[in-house]
Structure formats: structure tokens, C-alpha cells
């Protein structure tokens, strides 16, 4: 009995040993790779570049006052449409005391001259009626009187302009009223009632009362890398994607490429402009950030395969043609490629539509 038990234990140990050996052997065996199999397809390929930039109106005008003073009234606000010559604000003139005193003195002097001219004319007229003097002397006196009256009107207008910014003879062209110079949308009014403003001159740009732009004529402005600028040209179609207007794309047309590069962080870039042609772009606001997608190359209805299926070796490219499905065996074949969109690549030569090629690894299985 003891002998039977002993042999049973030995057999059990032997079975465990053999089983462990078989298990480790199976685990150590090399497993065959199984690949996905794909076929070429006819498709359209586009090689594109994306340029970042922003949307701006083509024409943005800064409205500035024609006189120095204080904002008395503002008739418009940002976001409103405005017509050309429509009043945006009114400026109250704060006269300079030295100029005011000089103008008042000029008026008084002109009044004195006019009174004297009237007396002289009256004497000349009496003498002319008595035929003591000639008609020529009478005409000269009449002209002198008219000149004195005109001089007084000019001096009074100058005084009124200094006091109120308005000329009585040209009240319709008042410089105290700040008017829009174009039809458009008011983008901003950076001043408030009570703010001091100055007119533009050779010493400064003047105070901006409002900025007005034609928002029906918009431009995309961005910068393209020097490695790609040679592949674009005026007239190319552009697709705009605006971050603030997700899931919307707008058509545009490239109309300007800067002839001179600007260096940014050691990278040479060229400024480009594209005109927004999409009629649905009326809701776009000035300053929106946008991405412009430009098609550099395209190939329509060409044979293409996933780029991951192609092996690159120097200047040559290869694919692996399926020869046997089980077990999988492949044949390496050279092909000639065209453009790539980063996902698929064009096959120009070396492959047929019926061919099946090796893709990525699918699973790991035992032979």
C-alpha cells in the first residue's frame, strides 16, 4: 500500500513538472503578427496650410474734432449705424483768453474804422451831389465804405468762432459738430461728456471721438511662413474658421501677399490679406480671431491609401502586397507617390485597385 502511494505521488510531481514545462514553452514561442488588410480607394486629396490671424474692416476711420474744447453732447453710441455727415457729438469751445482779447480788440477797431468810413462817404456824397468832385472820387469812397463793412463782418465771425466755434456766415458748417466722414458702423466711442478734446495738427494726432467702419467689407489679416509663401498667389480661395462662430465656415479670396518678410522669434513670415466674399458674414465682429485654410495642392479622384501603410526608405517608397491570407504573407513592392493630406497619400504607380496591402498591426496570435 505504501508503495502504491509513493508511486502516485511521484507521478503527480512528474505531471506538474511536465505541465509547467509545456506552459513555459508555449509562452516562450514567438507569436505571429496579424495585420489589418486595406485596399486602395479613389478619393480627393488636398494639401492645405492654416494661417492664424484676425478679422478687420477694410476701411476703419477715426473721427477727430476740428477744434479744441470739451465734449458737450454725444448723440450716438457704439454699435449704431451712421450715415456720412451725420452728427456724432458736439464740442463746446473753451476760448483761449489771449486769442479772445485779440479778437475783441480787432472787432472794436473795425467798428471805429467803419464809423469813420461812413462819415467820409457822407461828406463825399454831399460834395458829389453839388458837383464839386468827380464821380471817380465818389466811387472810391463807396468802395472804402463797403470794405470797412466787410472787414467788420470778418472780425465778428472770427470772434464768434473763438467764442463758440461757429461762424455766423457759415453756420451750417459748424466745427463744433463732429460728423461721420463715411457710412458705416460705429465700433467705438472712447470719449465721454465732459472730456477735453484737441484737434489734430502737426504736433499731435488729436483726440479720437469715434471709430467708424464699413462692416460689409471685411478682411482677414494673418502671416504665412516663408516655406509656404511661394505656393500661394492672389486670387486663391480661402476658407475662414472663426473661433467665436463655431461650426461655421466663410468663403474668402486671397488678394494681398506682402513682398517683404517680418521676422518674429527668428522666423520670417509674410503678411497676407483675404477679402471675405461670403454674404452670410454680416454677423462677424471686428477683431475676431480666425484661422484661414488655404489649399496649396489638390488631386481629384486619385488612387490613395493610408499613409501609415507606406514604408519610406530614403527617396523610395514601398508597400507590402498580401500574397496569402492564412498565414499572412506579404510581398514588398516599390510604389511612386504623390501628394499627401497627412492621413492618406496618392499612389501614382506600382499599385492596382484590386491589390490588398498591409496596414497596421491588428492582434497578436499564436501560429
Amino acid at each position: 500500500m505504501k508503495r502504491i502511494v509513493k508511486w502516485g505521488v511521484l507521478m503527480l510531481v512528474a505531471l506538474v513538472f511536465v505541465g509547467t514545462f509545456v506552459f513555459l514553452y508555449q509562452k516562450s514561442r514567438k507569436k505571429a503578427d496579424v495585420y489589418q488588410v486595406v485596399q486602395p480607394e479613389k478619393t480627393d486629396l488636398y494639401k492645405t496650410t492654416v494661417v492664424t490671424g484676425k478679422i478687420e474692416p477694410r476701411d476703419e476711420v477715426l473721427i477727430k474734432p476740428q477744434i479744441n474744447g470739451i465734449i458737450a453732447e454725444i448723440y450716438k453710441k457704439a454699435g449704431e449705424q451712421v450715415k456720412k455727415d451725420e452728427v456724432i457729438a458736439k464740442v463746446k469751445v473753451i476760448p483761449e483768453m489771449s486769442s479772445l482779447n485779440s479778437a475783441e480788440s480787432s472787432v472794436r477797431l473795425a467798428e471805429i474804422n467803419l464809423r469813420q468810413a461812413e462819415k467820409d462817404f457822407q461828406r463825399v456824397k454831399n460834395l458829389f451831389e453839388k458837383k464839386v468832385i468827380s464821380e471817380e472820387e465818389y466811387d472810391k469812397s463807396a468802395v472804402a465804405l463797403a470794405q470797412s463793412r466787410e472787414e467788420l463782418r470778418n472780425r465778428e465771425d472770427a470772434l464768434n468762432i473763438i467764442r463758440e466755434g461757429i461762424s455766423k456766415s457759415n453756420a451750417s458748417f459748424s466745427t463744433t459738430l463732429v460728423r461721420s466722414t463715411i457710412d458705416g458702423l460705429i465700433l467705438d466711442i472712447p470719449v465721454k461728456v465732459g472730456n477735453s478734446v484737441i484737434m489734430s495738427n502737426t504736433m499731435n494726432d488729436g483726440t479720437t471721438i469715434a471709430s467708424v467702419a464699413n462692416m460689409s467689407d471685411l478682411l482677414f489679416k494673418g502671416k504665412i511662413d516663408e516655406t509656404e509663401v511661394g505656393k500661394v498667389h492672389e486670387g486663391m480661395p480661402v476658407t475662414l474658421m472663426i473661433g467665436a462662430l463655431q461650426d461655421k465656415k466663410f468663403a474668402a479670396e486671397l488678394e494681398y501677399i506682402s513682398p517683404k518678410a517680418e521676422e518674429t522669434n527668428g522666423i520670417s513670415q509674410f503678411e497676407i490679406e483675404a477679402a471675405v466674399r461670403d454674404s452670410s458674414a454680416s454677423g462677424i465682429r471686428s477683431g475676431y480671431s480666425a484661422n484661414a485654410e488655404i489649399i496649396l495642392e489638390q488631386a481629384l479622384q486619385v488612387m490613395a491609401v493610408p499613409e501609415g501603410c507606406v514604408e519610406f526608405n530614403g527617396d523610395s517608397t514601398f508597400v507590402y502586397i498580401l500574397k496569402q491570407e492564412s498565414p499572412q504573407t506579404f510581398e514588398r513592392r516599390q510604389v511612386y507617390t504623390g501628394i499627401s493630406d497627412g492621413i492618406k497619400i496618392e499612389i501614382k504607380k506600382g499599385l492596382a485597385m484590386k491589390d490588398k496591402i498591409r496596414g497596421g498591426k491588428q492582434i497578436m496570435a499564436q501560429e
Side-chain angles (χ1 to χ4, degrees):
M1 185 67 181
K2 291 181 180 181
R3 192 171 182 180
I4 295 175
V5 172
K6 180 180 178 181
W7 281 104
V9 171
L10 290 174
M11 290 181 65
L12 180 61
V13 171
L15 287 173
V16 170
F17 177 78
V18 172
T20 302
F21 177 79
V22 171
F23 174 76
L24 293 175
Y25 174 75
Q26 294 290 345
K27 290 288 288 183
S28 65
R29 290 185 64 189
K30 184 179 179 181
K31 297 179 180 179
D33 292 329
V34 176
Y35 295 90
Q36 294 178 342
V37 176
V38 298
Q39 279 188 276
E41 61 176 322
K42 289 281 187 179
T43 187
D44 298 334
L45 296 179
Y46 301 94
K47 187 175 182 179
T48 63
T49 184
V50 176
V51 179
T52 59
K54 62 180 180 178
I55 302 296
E56 295 180 3
R58 185 187 299 273
D59 298 314
E60 182 176 347
V61 179
L62 301 180
I63 309 298
K64 300 178 183 293
Q66 296 177 299
I67 57 172
N68 302 330
I70 293 175
I71 298 294
E73 295 181 70
I74 297 177
Y75 303 106
K76 299 289 183 179
K77 62 182 180 180
E80 291 186 355
Q81 291 287 338
V82 67
K83 297 290 185 181
K84 183 180 179 181
D85 293 328
E86 192 171 353
V87 178
I88 297 175
K90 182 178 181 180
V91 177
K92 179 181 178 181
V93 177
I94 305 299
E96 184 182 0
M97 293 309 298
S98 61
S99 300
L100 180 61
N101 290 334
S102 178
E104 288 176 343
S105 177
S106 296
V107 170
R108 288 193 295 268
L109 182 60
E111 289 173 345
I112 293 171
N113 292 336
L114 177 59
R115 286 195 295 269
Q116 184 61 44
E118 288 174 344
K119 289 179 181 179
D120 292 343
F121 176 75
Q122 192 60 44
R123 282 195 296 268
V124 171
K125 181 180 179 182
N126 292 335
L127 293 173
F128 177 72
E129 289 174 350
K130 294 177 182 181
K131 301 187 183 300
V132 176
I133 61 174
S134 66
E135 184 178 356
E136 181 181 358
E137 292 184 17
Y138 173 79
D139 290 341
K140 288 181 179 180
S141 181
V143 169
L145 177 60
Q147 289 176 340
S148 296
R149 287 172 176 167
E150 183 63 27
E151 180 67 19
L152 178 60
R153 280 196 295 268
N154 288 339
R155 299 297 176 86
E156 288 176 341
D157 276 349
L159 176 60
N160 206 58
I161 290 173
I162 292 174
R163 281 177 174 170
E164 302 178 10
I166 302 174
S167 169
K168 291 182 179 179
S169 59
N170 296 295
S172 59
F173 300 98
S174 171
T175 55
T176 61
L177 298 178
V178 182
R179 303 174 184 270
S180 175
T181 55
I182 62 169
D183 295 345
L185 180 75
I186 299 177
L187 301 181
D188 186 29
I189 298 182
V191 295
K192 297 180 180 179
V193 173
N195 286 161
S196 297
V197 295
I198 57 175
M199 59 185 288
S200 59
N201 52 48
T202 56
M203 301 298 295
N204 59 69
D205 293 334
T207 305
T208 298
I209 302 295
S211 58
V212 181
N214 179 10
M215 294 301 292
S216 62
D217 189 4
L218 300 173
L219 290 176
F220 166 84
K221 292 186 177 181
K223 293 182 179 180
I224 189 171
D225 191 82
E226 62 179 337
T227 58
E228 297 176 330
V229 70
K231 300 177 183 179
V232 299
H233 57 81
E234 286 85 352
M236 291 182 71
V238 177
T239 301
L240 298 179
M241 294 158 287
I242 299 174
L245 303 175
Q246 295 183 359
D247 302 325
K248 287 187 178 181
K249 295 184 178 181
F250 301 92
E253 182 179 316
L254 190 63
E255 66 175 29
Y256 172 76
I257 304 171
S258 174
K260 182 180 179 181
E262 296 180 12
E263 189 168 320
T264 305
N265 298 325
I267 301 173
S268 295
Q269 294 180 312
F270 291 80
E271 184 178 8
I272 63 171
E273 294 180 1
V276 181
R277 305 297 189 195
D278 200 326
S279 60
S280 64
S282 58
I284 299 178
R285 297 178 183 271
S286 177
Y288 270 166
S289 297
N291 291 329
E293 184 181 75
I294 306 174
I295 298 176
L296 302 178
E297 295 180 65
Q298 64 179 12
L300 304 179
Q301 289 302 296
V302 295
M303 181 191 301
V305 298
E307 191 166 344
C309 297
V310 178
E311 177 186 290
F312 296 88
N313 188 353
D315 295 333
S316 302
T317 50
F318 302 88
V319 296
Y320 289 84
I321 307 296
L322 179 67
K323 289 300 182 180
Q324 181 177 310
E325 293 190 2
S326 182
Q328 286 184 335
T329 55
F330 298 93
E331 178 186 82
R332 190 170 185 251
R333 181 186 298 178
Q334 184 175 6
V335 293
Y336 297 90
T337 58
I339 73 168
S340 168
D341 63 1
I343 299 175
K344 295 180 180 180
I345 188 169
E346 176 188 4
I347 303 297
K348 291 184 173 181
K349 184 179 178 183
L351 195 64
M353 290 295 296
K354 60 181 177 57
D355 289 332
K356 295 180 180 181
I357 63 175
R358 189 180 76 182
K361 289 182 180 180
Q362 188 175 22
I363 58 171
M364 301 294 290
Q366 186 179 7
E367 286 183 337

